[in-house]
Amino acid sequence: MDSGRAPYPVSKIDQFEAGVKYRTQGYSAFVTAFLAKTKEGAGFEVTSQTVKENAYKSQGIEAELAASFGDLRLTGGVTLTDAEITSGANTGKTPRRQAKVVYQVSPSYAIGPVEVGGSIIGTTKSYAQDDNVVELPAYTTVNLFANYEVARNLTASLGVNNLFNTLGYTEAEPQGALYVARAINGRSARVSLKYSF
């Protein structure tokens, strides 16, 4: 797959995937193995004032599971990635912002007009830049929700995102001798009333 058109930078990706799917009543599983080779077209990065033109290879496994036990439902997924830079001064290092493990688990329980649930979403550490000097720490967030069917087609909902106000960094860019980082949103709550027709 190519992205970009001359005279603009062209990136090339060769990707192969193979997987299996299993589904039965109340249970499903999807597992996919992947192998990818990527070559970036030369592009100028404003924040670091550098030209990026790297090649990468990555391999890994994605797994998704879902199961129902009466009124209890559980879904989850995990992606394991082994990625490496294959060109330039950072050959052999891990590409920036690429964690080895990303995961999520989402349980929910319904009883009568009430449904409660949540999700746990996390990532292992990654690196801010391709030189692997600055580390973005691992983090896990917890989200909760509750739905109540007030009447037919009318549902009241309460949701809390990032319940424990976890500080998680998604990227960091150098600006002089310092780094400027972007973090996930802090704790927030939402109340809504939905009518379907």
Side-chain angles (χ1 to χ4, degrees):
M1 179 175 70
D2 294 348
S3 63
R5 292 287 183 270
Y8 303 104
V10 176
S11 296
K12 295 184 178 180
I13 301 172
D14 293 320
Q15 183 164 321
F16 305 91
E17 294 185 357
V20 293
K21 298 181 179 181
Y22 177 76
R23 190 177 277 148
T24 186
Q25 186 172 358
Y27 180 82
S28 64
F30 307 89
V31 179
T32 304
F34 62 87
L35 171 65
K37 294 183 178 180
T38 304
K39 185 175 182 180
E40 290 181 326
F44 183 72
E45 186 177 71
V46 176
T47 53
S48 63
Q49 299 290 299
T50 57
V51 174
K52 297 292 184 184
E53 189 174 12
N54 285 329
Y56 312 90
K57 69 175 181 180
S58 64
Q59 56 193 358
I61 295 176
E62 298 175 341
E64 297 177 56
L65 301 172
S68 296
F69 310 95
D71 295 323
L72 176 65
R73 178 170 171 77
L74 183 66
T75 62
V78 62
T79 301
L80 310 176
T81 305
D82 180 23
E84 181 182 349
I85 299 170
T86 57
S87 69
N90 294 309
T91 296
K93 296 187 176 178
T94 302
R96 61 180 175 169
R97 305 174 197 160
Q98 179 62 67
K100 288 190 177 295
V101 182
V102 178
Y103 57 91
Q104 58 92 11
V105 178
S106 302
S108 63
Y109 184 76
I111 180 168
V114 177
E115 180 186 18
V116 294
S119 62
I120 299 171
I121 302 172
T123 176
T124 56
K125 72 176 184 179
S126 61
Y127 295 102
Q129 297 295 321
D130 292 339
D131 57 16
N132 292 181
V133 173
V134 175
E135 185 178 295
L136 302 175
Y139 64 88
T140 301
T141 61
V142 176
N143 309 307
L144 298 176
F145 74 87
N147 297 329
Y148 177 68
E149 188 176 3
V150 180
R152 184 179 179 184
N153 299 332
L154 182 64
T155 304
S157 300
L158 169 65
V160 179
N161 292 321
N162 197 357
L163 176 66
F164 299 112
N165 207 30
T166 298
L167 179 60
Y169 294 109
T170 59
E171 60 183 290
E173 299 289 347
Q175 291 195 358
L178 302 176
Y179 272 73
V180 176
R182 176 175 295 173
I184 62 174
N185 292 333
R187 183 191 301 115
S188 63
R190 179 187 72 253
V191 177
S192 63
L193 191 63
K194 182 177 74 173
Y195 181 74
S196 303
F197 57 89

